[in-house]
Amino acid sequence: MLQQTTTAAVDSYYRRFIKRFPDVKTLAEAELTEVQRYWEGLGYYRRVKQLHQASIVIVNEHNDIFPDTFDAVLALPGIGRYTAGAICSIAQNQRYPILEANTIRLHARLLGYSDDPAKSFGNKLLWKMAEKILPETRPGHFNQALMDLGSLVCTPKTPKCSICPVFILCQAACRGTQNQIPALNKGKTFEERTEVALVVEKNKKYLMIQYPESVRWGGLWDFPRHVADSSEKLIVNQKLLEDFKRITGYSCSIQKQIMTIRHAVTKFKIKLCVCQAELTGQKTVSEYRTYWMSKKELAEIPLNTTARKIVNSILCEHHSDIQS
Ligand code: SF4
């Protein structure tokens, strides 16, 4: 839960999650859709699937006990070298290094490494450094101390070298290059993108699609959604209608735009136009699973963040412009 966000943002999600799934067996036995519902709003939905899969592996292959060897931890779904190292060193007092944003910056500065640490050579070099400086005892404390040193003292902008306990060992501070290291990446550039979500109501039920497991948002439900390509000048056009038919099996006509949601996902700045639509024909073959849902069902199913905003708006019967 804590990857890519802050403890403060995660706190309430974590408490709610742990209350419902207090042990690995409860998590493994739960339906994925329910687990996803508890994760809803945290983003990066692949993680919750991997967490659920990992709980099943722990129950089936490790007798409900979290594995205690690095290789077995690394083999769990969703666990990479950093996470396995953090778990084994911090939770199990085993001697494994870690490397994450704070320690990458810290080690690069200590070494005076001025190239991009994300490149293969730099990455290998920093892992080697992390391994080499790891003490025989209390590796978990050491790893946590390094992360704290990176986040509190060796900060991305204006590192506090004058109070740094490793100042004397630091090549960057010695050369006065600490503000140029790590090599600046070019910054996040966003691409503008327009999407259209269609709200179709029939007999007080709403048409929803479920994403197949193989795609982003796999398993989550959503309003039928069209991603406009750069050639589409109008929000409502033939491509949108064809896409709607391909996804849902229905033909429709657009009535009006009811709200706009602006949000950012990975490299995209998205303007999501939410439109009300009416069906104009019977259902044919559809690419996605479709289902007509009552307001009660909409309140209970796992949705992506913007679909939840649309649902909240429907539940409040209040349409407006939302900026997130
Ligand atoms: S001396 Fe400065 S640049 Fe070097 S590790 Fe400490 S805070 Fe970072």
Side-chain angles (χ1 to χ4, degrees):
M1 283 183 183
L2 278 169
Q3 286 173 335
Q4 312 272 351
T5 187
T6 61
T7 316
V10 160
D11 186 49
S12 61
Y13 286 94
Y14 177 77
R15 288 175 199 277
R16 221 161 47 98
F17 195 91
I18 288 295
K19 199 170 173 198
R20 169 63 188 89
F21 310 108
D23 53 53
V24 72
K25 201 155 187 273
T26 312
L27 182 60
E29 285 170 355
E31 290 289 335
L32 174 61
T33 50
E34 191 194 358
V35 185
Q36 285 172 322
R37 185 72 180 88
Y38 275 78
W39 193 272
E40 203 186 283
L42 280 171
Y44 301 95
Y45 293 100
R46 206 154 59 95
R47 284 184 203 155
V48 67
K49 270 203 278 181
Q50 289 172 327
L51 181 67
H52 188 240
Q53 285 163 358
S55 72
I56 293 170
V57 173
I58 292 167
V59 167
N60 291 343
E61 297 176 21
H62 301 283
N63 290 328
D64 308 355
I65 312 273
F66 198 90
D68 61 1
T69 65
F70 180 83
D71 288 344
V73 174
L74 189 63
L76 292 173
I79 305 265
R81 184 175 177 185
Y82 157 65
T83 310
I87 292 169
C88 289
S89 65
I90 297 169
Q92 301 174 338
N93 198 32
Q94 298 183 48
R95 194 172 173 270
Y96 285 98
I98 56 155
L99 199 58
E100 41 67 76
N102 290 309
T103 41
I104 286 173
R105 185 173 59 254
L106 176 69
H107 294 342
R109 284 173 176 167
L110 284 171
L111 287 173
Y113 182 70
S114 55
D115 205 348
D116 183 354
K119 286 184 187 163
S120 169
F121 178 82
N123 188 260
K124 277 189 197 142
L125 180 76
L126 298 187
W127 271 112
K128 215 170 199 160
M129 160 111 174
E131 260 168 28
K132 216 163 179 154
I133 61 174
L134 201 59
E136 292 295 333
T137 56
R138 301 201 296 165
H141 285 84
F142 186 78
N143 283 339
Q144 290 187 76
L146 288 181
M147 286 191 280
D148 283 348
L149 185 59
S151 69
L152 302 172
V153 179
C154 196
T155 46
K157 284 181 189 160
T158 51
K160 304 174 183 72
C161 302
S162 59
I163 58 157
C164 179
V166 290
F167 174 80
I168 199 160
L169 305 170
C170 181
Q171 291 294 315
C174 174
R175 296 173 196 155
T177 56
Q178 61 271 41
N179 289 319
Q180 284 92 58
I181 294 178
L184 285 179
N185 59 27
K186 290 178 191 94
K188 211 168 184 178
T189 51
F190 285 98
E191 256 176 59
E192 304 277 339
R193 186 154 104 174
T194 302
E195 296 183 2
V196 185
L198 296 185
V199 177
V200 186
E201 185 187 353
K202 194 173 79 176
N203 301 329
K204 297 195 173 162
K205 292 195 169 184
Y206 294 85
L207 181 63
M208 302 297 286
I209 56 163
Q210 187 177 34
Y211 290 103
E213 289 299 329
S214 54
V215 303
R216 183 167 78 105
W217 295 334
L220 296 185
W221 291 86
D222 195 7
F223 293 88
R225 189 179 292 239
H226 169 72
V227 179
D229 64 40
S230 51
S231 68
E232 293 175 45
K233 301 282 179 245
L234 299 170
I235 297 170
V236 178
N237 63 25
Q238 196 55 31
K239 276 189 188 165
L240 161 65
L241 300 177
E242 283 166 11
D243 210 21
F244 178 80
K245 183 154 192 190
R246 175 182 61 80
I247 294 168
T248 66
Y250 289 105
S251 300
C252 76
S253 67
I254 313 293
Q255 303 302 300
K256 59 178 177 181
Q257 186 170 336
I258 52 177
M259 71 199 280
T260 308
I261 301 173
R262 292 173 200 278
H263 65 123
V265 177
T266 58
K267 60 178 186 151
F268 298 105
K269 258 190 189 162
I270 300 172
K271 177 183 168 190
L272 175 66
C273 304
V274 184
C275 296
Q276 204 172 324
E278 261 181 18
L279 298 187
T280 55
Q282 293 302 311
K283 185 169 165 65
T284 55
V285 183
S286 63
E287 189 173 316
Y288 289 179
R289 185 179 169 209
T290 61
Y291 197 82
W292 291 92
M293 291 193 186
S294 64
K295 286 183 179 177
K296 185 172 178 294
E297 286 170 307
L298 288 177
E300 289 166 359
I301 52 160
L303 299 167
N304 60 44
T305 307
T306 49
R308 177 58 62 200
K309 284 180 179 168
I310 300 170
V311 166
N312 288 343
S313 170
I314 288 170
L315 295 180
C316 299
E317 303 206 329
H318 164 74
H319 305 308
S320 62
D321 275 12
I322 295 179
Q323 186 108 19
S324 66

